[in-house]
Each structure stands twice: as structure tokens, then as C-alpha cells.
Amino acid sequence: MPLEMETPLPYQRDDLCPFDPGADLRRAQRQEPVTKYRMIDGRDIWVVTRYDDVRQVLNDPRLSSALTPLTLMLPGVDDTGLEVSPGSFVNMDPPHHTRLRRTVAGSFTARRMRDIVPRLEKIAEHCLDTLERGGPGTDLMTAFASPFPLLAICELLGLSDEQRDTYLRISEQAPGLAATAEEARELVAAAHRFMLDVVTAQRDEPGDGMIGMLARDHGDDLSDAEIVGIANMHLTAGFDTVANTLGLGLLALFDHPDQLALLRDDPQVLDTAVEELMRYLSVISATGGRTATEDIELGGVTIKKGEYVVPALAAANRDPAHYPDPDRLDLTRPQGRQLGFGHGLHRCPGAAMTLIEMKVGFTALLRRFPGIRLAVPRGEIAFRGYNMVHGALALPVAW
């Protein structure tokens, strides 16, 4: 039987404002910034809430990703039958992490990112056509915010239209943090089967996307399972995060009409705007955690060897010691290394792609629908609860 679900501290949000860290995280940041927290399954974790301490965690080689259980933040799931995918380097330490991460660098060069923009613009317009056909009251998440980044990352990977549709059906079954062991295993198995078929085909006929590049340029060095893991890791990370940043971002702009008008009318703010929205929203509330390989000092606290450390990104991105007036949404705020992409060794390799998707997405949306607004009262918007990626369940809009 699954344990009764309770949102763990690092993922909690303010009851009144879906963008803000929860009151307990705020209190911890002020009073006990490295605080011990007991999960409902009895495991203890150290929750880190201040910006400088979180950066230390993310950049400290003594804190291991490879030794951290995949189910650390899944109290209802044991580790039986769940293993790190051979290509999922986010769950690895050097040298394995270094070897695999290096293979994808060619997919995120400045030239590759420039070349993909026209295609992303076409994808955005296609999704906006769907939104417009639905008429006022259509759910932005279903019509635009979710399909746009899914199609974008599939474009980067080199998936066909049929393969994109198949993956969408798989992703819709994602059970979230409250998963049972069986649900988690079934999802992992389905994603693996799907991507293995893609990789097998592209071994014979490499395409122009990342999967084809890995098969063509690194085929002798990477196993099929490693390419599958790399591709699925990018699909997962590159889809849900962008979708919910677009959705929650628009909702935040509705709450700040002056900032909405600024982004709509002044393209010069686009670069700082998307970074600020990532900081302000922090849809990835916390990373999966690290395990101490020796005793370390962190924020004046001794973390013992074998203990777990979880950086609360949403709290760190609102740290008043690092950001002046951190609770204010300011699209002109100078870029200041927000932690939505992580930091150091495990900084998101697809950060450039994510920023481009958000720039293209917000620009296209506000150009097509300059008068876009909520189609329901603000109080009717419901949000994800027990989930690693925060977001709105639905966002009906009018224009």
C-alpha cells in the first residue's frame, strides 16, 4: 500500500500564491537554512534553502548524484527494479557523467540553436492555430504550452511526427511524485521500449537530430541503451519544465499586467524576461538530491557521510541575501545566475534550448493574441500538488 502522500518540504508552495515557496521554506531560510527534514517514509534529508549554500551543493564533488536513490523523494516507492538508465548522466558522477555529457555538446552549439529557431517559430504558430481554432475558453496548457515544447524537443532529437504522437501518449501517463512502484516501473519500461525502437532505426539510417548524431558520430562508443537513456532524459527534462514555465509564466504576467505589457511591447527585454520568469517561478522546486561521500560543512552544519542533501531551488531563487526585493517580478532585472538550470557539473546541458523555446513561445503568443487574458476567475485555477515540476492543471484563456 502506498504511504499517505504529503508534499515534502522542498516541493511545498505558498497556499495563497502558486509562484512562491511555502511558508515553512521561508522560515527555514531565515532561521535554519540547512535544516533536517524527515520524509513520511522515515528517511531524513537535509534541505538547503539559501542561494550560496545551494550553489555549493550543486558544485561540490563530495556530494554524489550516483549514490542517491532514485526514489529519495518518492515515499511510496521502493528501489526494487528501478535502476539508473545507462545514458541518464544527470544521475551519474564523473568520469561516467563526463563521458556521456560530452557526446551531446554538439547538439547545443550556438550555431545549432540559431539554425533551429525558424523551425521552432513554425511549430509555435502551428500550436497557436490550434489554440485559435478552439476559441475563447480553450485550455492554453493543452493547446499550446504542452505541445509546443514537446514538438520542439522532438525536433531537436530528430523524431518523426508519428513518434512524437507516441511519446505524447506515454508522457500523459506520467504518475508524478505520488507514484506507486508499479506505476513508476511501467512508465520507465514504456519510455525505454519506445526510444529503443527509435534508436534501432537510426542506427541504420541516422537522421539530422541528436539521436542521429549520437548514432553516427558516437555509435562505436555508445551502446543502444546509453543512447536511449540520453534521449529519454532530454525528452523528459525538455518537455515538462518548459511547458509549465510557459503556462505559469503567462499566469504570473496576468497577475502583473505592467510586466505583461512590457514583454508584449518591448522585445529588448526578452533576454532578461525569460531568466526572470525562471527565477520567479522556479517550476522545478528542488533537485533530486545528493549523497555525502564524506563529512562536510554546509552553512555551518555538519553533513555526515551517507546523509542526503536536497537543494530547494525555489527558495534559493527568492533569497533576499542574493536578490534585491526577490518577491517582485521584474522583467528588466539584470541577469544574476538564477538556479533554475542548476549549477556547476550538472547544469542543464539544454539550457540554451530552453531559453530559446521560451523566447519563441512568449513572443509568438503575445504577437498573435496581444489581448490574451484568463477566461475564468483567477480563483478557479488549480495547480499540481505532489509533483516534481510545478504548474497549472489547466489555463483557460480568451483574447
Side-chain angles (χ1 to χ4, degrees):
M1 286 288 291
L3 297 170
E4 182 180 353
M5 292 300 111
E6 176 182 305
T7 303
L9 178 64
Y11 294 100
Q12 290 177 14
R13 293 280 173 158
D14 189 283
D15 290 337
L16 300 179
C17 181
F19 316 121
D20 292 1
D24 289 341
L25 278 173
R26 299 276 199 177
R27 188 178 305 110
Q29 190 177 68
R30 291 192 306 270
Q31 301 174 1
E32 194 178 2
V34 180
T35 185
K36 183 170 281 190
Y37 174 79
R38 175 154 291 183
M39 301 284 286
I40 60 174
D41 61 3
R43 284 188 287 197
D44 288 329
I45 61 175
W46 288 100
V47 180
V48 184
T49 58
R50 288 185 180 171
Y51 182 93
D52 288 341
D53 294 336
V54 166
R55 274 175 60 100
Q56 179 184 337
V57 170
L58 296 176
N59 204 37
D60 194 324
R62 299 171 299 173
L63 292 167
S64 169
S65 295
L67 296 178
T68 304
L70 291 176
T71 60
L72 179 62
M73 303 302 287
L74 301 173
V77 182
D78 62 36
D79 292 308
T80 305
L82 289 176
E83 298 179 353
V84 173
S85 170
S88 183
F89 55 78
V90 69
N91 301 113
M92 299 177 183
D93 300 328
H96 303 299
H97 171 275
T98 308
R99 178 180 73 88
L100 293 173
R101 183 182 176 109
R102 188 177 293 134
T103 64
V104 304
S107 294
F108 299 107
T109 63
R111 178 177 179 178
R112 175 67 171 144
M113 294 298 95
R114 287 195 302 270
D115 289 346
I116 206 171
V117 168
R119 178 60 182 150
L120 295 186
E121 291 173 340
K122 290 182 180 179
I123 291 172
E125 293 302 328
H126 169 75
C127 294
L128 290 174
D129 289 343
T130 301
L131 178 62
E132 189 167 24
R133 283 195 298 271
T138 301
D139 175 25
L140 181 94
M141 300 303 299
T142 302
F144 178 73
S146 292
F148 169 60
L150 175 63
L151 294 173
I153 196 65
C154 287
E155 180 75 17
L156 180 79
L157 292 175
L159 301 184
S160 68
D161 292 345
E162 181 179 358
Q163 289 164 343
R164 294 167 189 167
D165 292 340
T166 300
Y167 181 77
L168 181 58
R169 289 193 293 272
I170 294 172
S171 69
E172 288 172 345
Q173 305 305 311
L177 282 171
T180 65
E182 182 179 359
E183 288 171 334
R185 283 193 290 269
E186 286 178 356
L187 179 66
V188 170
H192 180 84
R193 289 192 300 269
F194 159 74
M195 192 57 71
L196 183 58
D197 288 341
V198 176
V199 171
T200 301
Q202 295 217 21
R203 281 283 193 186
D204 296 329
E205 297 183 27
D208 295 330
M210 178 190 289
I211 296 171
M213 179 273 294
L214 292 173
R216 182 177 57 252
D217 299 344
H218 302 279
D220 295 335
D221 305 320
L222 295 173
S223 67
D224 284 355
E226 286 176 326
I227 299 178
V228 166
I230 291 171
N232 272 331
M233 182 186 68
H234 281 86
L235 257 179
T236 303
F239 163 42
D240 209 19
T241 303
V242 177
N244 286 287
T245 301
L246 287 170
L248 271 189
L250 188 62
L251 184 61
L253 292 170
F254 288 153
D255 287 352
H256 299 81
D258 60 323
Q259 298 298 294
L260 175 62
L262 180 64
L263 182 58
R264 182 189 61 218
D265 300 335
D266 185 1
Q268 298 299 316
V269 306
L270 195 57
D271 287 341
T272 56
V274 294
E275 291 276 5
E276 171 69 352
L277 284 167
M278 286 201 66
R279 180 200 71 82
Y280 185 79
L281 303 169
S282 293
V283 298
I284 299 180
S285 302
T287 66
R290 304 285 192 271
T291 303
T293 59
E294 60 182 79
D295 291 0
I296 66 171
E297 290 294 316
L298 181 63
V301 174
T302 298
I303 308 297
K304 298 291 188 180
K305 179 179 178 179
E307 292 185 326
Y308 304 125
V309 180
V310 176
L313 302 182
N317 273 336
R318 296 291 189 99
D319 186 350
H322 187 79
Y323 297 103
D325 198 4
D327 295 328
R328 180 169 60 92
L329 178 63
D330 178 6
L331 300 188
T332 65
R333 187 187 297 270
Q335 296 182 32
R337 295 184 181 179
Q338 55 83 18
L339 296 173
F341 292 122
H343 173 69
L345 181 71
H346 285 286
R347 188 175 191 272
C348 175
M353 177 72 172
T354 296
L355 292 173
I356 287 173
E357 288 178 68
M358 290 198 293
K359 291 176 187 178
V360 170
F362 281 117
T363 299
L365 181 64
L366 296 179
R367 181 175 56 241
R368 177 78 76 92
F369 304 113
I372 193 167
R373 63 190 185 279
L374 275 178
V376 298
R378 175 69 167 75
E380 292 184 10
I381 303 299
F383 303 92
R384 290 180 168 189
Y386 198 68
N387 204 298
M388 287 185 178
V389 182
H390 186 50
L393 295 178
L395 204 64
V397 293
W399 48 88

